[in-house]
Amino acid sequence: MIVSALGGPWDSLFGGGNLPAFVVGAVAAVISAILAIVLLPNPKPEDMAKASVGGGFH
């Protein structure tokens, strides 16, 4: 949301075009992915054993 809200002023700051907002969005995506990998807890082995492997919708 921050990237989309600040994209217009950010683009005009660098002379127009969409490239600055795309770069800021890419950096934000990389930071979010790293934080998700580092901060989210790993499931316990007994929780993984309880998870259903297949199934379908009826």
Side-chain angles (χ1 to χ4, degrees):
M1 287 177 49
I2 294 171
V3 173
S4 65
L6 299 176
W10 189 261
D11 289 338
S12 64
L13 181 66
F14 286 99
N18 291 327
L19 187 61
F22 286 135
V23 170
V24 172
V27 170
V30 168
I31 291 171
S32 296
I34 291 171
L35 288 176
I37 291 171
V38 172
L39 296 178
L40 289 176
N42 292 329
K44 298 176 185 172
E46 57 268 12
D47 292 337
M48 292 295 292
K50 293 178 188 175
S52 63
V53 177
F57 296 101
H58 296 289

